[in-house]
Amino acid sequence: MAVSLNLYCNEAPNEIVVSCEAYDDDDDDNESDHCSVDYDDDLLINLFETEVYQMLESKVVSSRFHHNIVTARKDAIQWMLKVHCFYRFRPETAYLSISYMDRFLSARPFPQGKGWPMQLLSVSCLSLAAKMEETAVPFLLDLQIMKPRFLFKPKTVQRMEVLVMQTLNWRLRIITPFDFVYCFIARISSCFNDSHQPNRLCHLFSLASDLIIDICIAIDSLDYPPSAIAAAVVLWITNLSVDEQNLGHLHNGVNQVINTGMVKKIYKVIEGKRSSLKLMPQSPTCVLEAALLCKEIAKYC
């Protein structure tokens, strides 16, 4: 892919500036006063079945990203999360952007010794994830904030977006831990009579979202089924151990079994890394706060 060495944009400001009102939240009337989630068994079965095919596809990838790109990956994730928080994107957007980047790095060699390729990949993955999940997406120039090392022309980012999509075989809609976590929290809460406490549910959703993103930084999430990540997170935030009984609460009534071994591995990662993992800040501008998550819950009320 030919990329121009002139990495600075020359567009006129009046052609690229977007009104702040475009990002104002006007969906307050969609919130529900009662946060109860009712997932039927058919939906959960479909999630498990789709997850199986998704994991089989990931195993086709012959290699994972190399050790010398780990630091660059970490820096890229930190930058994406800062932009993610600034624009108050959904937590799913953060997960998808990291997943796109990891899948891309796993599927093809990446230039070493230069900073701009990883920055370009970061912008492209975040842009694609936002287009998949958000209702209001900033222009490509407006997306490049929080002191990036390089600034790319929109056409350059768009070409990279095409390369990313081609590399991912155009599979951008994937199953994530968030697809499972809403269901698991609802089921585990109902077992302990917490399902009619909306504040409690919203708090758990917020904790789970923060922790899922933290885990993505600490592990190669491509190696773990989304259901296992969600199960480990839900058991952790509800102070439950990983055993057959507690896992049974999560998929009760469904003829599917969560990978216990994977759940235990992720649970141990949380136990060992929790003190060093940095949670997203709890602030009015943070997308992972409970108030915004309640809007997601309200869809199922």
Side-chain angles (χ1 to χ4, degrees):
M1 178 187 68
V3 178
S4 173
L5 295 180
N6 180 13
L7 300 178
Y8 288 91
C9 304
N10 53 15
E11 285 81 355
N14 61 351
E15 295 177 353
I16 64 174
V17 174
V18 62
S19 172
C20 293
E21 286 79 1
Y23 308 112
D24 284 347
D25 191 357
D26 56 359
D27 296 330
D28 291 342
D29 54 348
N30 291 329
E31 293 191 33
S32 172
D33 293 331
H34 182 65
C35 296
S36 62
V37 186
D38 182 17
Y39 283 78
D40 58 32
D41 293 344
D42 290 339
L43 175 58
L44 192 55
I45 291 173
N46 182 65
L47 288 176
F48 277 116
E49 291 178 347
T50 306
E51 176 187 66
V52 171
Y53 291 108
Q54 182 173 302
M55 292 303 296
L56 289 176
E57 286 184 358
S58 68
K59 290 181 180 179
V60 175
V61 178
S62 59
S63 63
R64 287 291 184 257
F65 40 83
H66 303 289
H67 175 73
N68 55 359
I69 211 169
V70 171
T71 300
R73 172 186 179 270
K74 181 178 179 181
D75 293 339
I77 291 176
Q78 293 296 338
W79 176 81
M80 287 192 295
L81 291 181
K82 289 178 181 179
V83 178
H84 171 273
C85 186
F86 178 85
Y87 282 114
R88 301 178 64 183
F89 287 157
R90 292 158 49 91
E92 291 87 343
T93 302
Y95 183 91
L96 283 179
S97 61
I98 297 172
S99 178
Y100 293 163
M101 183 175 66
D102 285 349
R103 289 163 62 195
F104 182 91
L105 293 175
S106 300
R108 61 186 302 137
F110 206 67
Q112 301 297 313
K114 299 179 180 180
W116 65 263
M118 182 62 78
Q119 180 66 38
L120 179 58
L121 177 62
S122 304
V123 176
S124 302
C125 289
L126 182 58
S127 173
L128 289 173
K131 291 172 183 176
M132 293 296 294
E133 292 292 338
E134 305 298 331
T135 57
V137 181
F139 290 137
L140 290 174
L141 286 177
D142 296 323
L143 198 63
Q144 301 179 67
I145 58 174
M146 297 302 182
K147 300 180 179 179
R149 294 179 59 190
F150 304 95
L151 192 62
F152 302 97
K153 293 181 179 180
K155 290 184 178 180
T156 302
V157 178
Q158 291 169 349
R159 289 197 298 269
M160 189 65 189
E161 287 180 338
V162 173
L163 178 61
V164 171
M165 290 188 288
Q166 289 175 337
T167 302
L168 303 185
N169 295 319
W170 306 94
R171 187 178 178 85
L172 300 184
R173 176 59 63 193
I174 60 174
I175 298 296
T176 74
F178 293 100
D179 295 309
F180 288 97
V181 78
Y182 300 124
C183 175
F184 289 167
I185 288 180
R187 285 172 172 249
I188 206 75
S189 297
S190 64
C191 291
F192 296 96
N193 298 320
D194 285 338
S195 57
H196 298 293
Q197 301 180 27
N199 291 337
R200 168 69 172 167
L201 288 180
C202 291
H203 179 63
L204 290 177
F205 283 125
S206 182
L207 291 177
S209 298
D210 284 342
L211 193 51
I212 288 172
I213 303 304
D214 286 336
I215 290 174
C216 288
I217 303 175
I219 68 173
D220 181 359
S221 59
L222 300 182
D223 288 332
Y224 298 88
S227 60
I229 296 176
V233 166
V234 170
L235 293 180
W236 172 267
I237 63 176
T238 53
N239 297 315
L240 296 175
S241 60
V242 181
D243 56 44
E244 296 300 328
Q245 180 179 0
N246 290 331
L247 287 175
H249 292 320
L250 303 181
H251 57 78
N252 183 35
V254 178
N255 189 25
Q256 298 287 344
V257 178
I258 302 175
N259 191 316
T260 305
M262 290 289 190
V263 175
K264 289 182 177 179
K265 288 182 180 179
I266 300 169
Y267 200 89
K268 288 182 178 179
V269 169
I270 298 174
E271 287 181 322
K273 300 282 188 177
R274 200 65 189 96
S275 59
S276 61
L277 289 175
K278 184 179 180 181
L279 278 174
M280 298 284 286
Q282 296 295 325
S283 68
T285 60
C286 184
V287 70
L288 302 183
E289 61 188 357
L292 294 182
L293 283 170
C294 280
K295 293 180 181 178
E296 183 67 25
I297 303 170
K299 296 179 181 179
Y300 304 96
C301 292

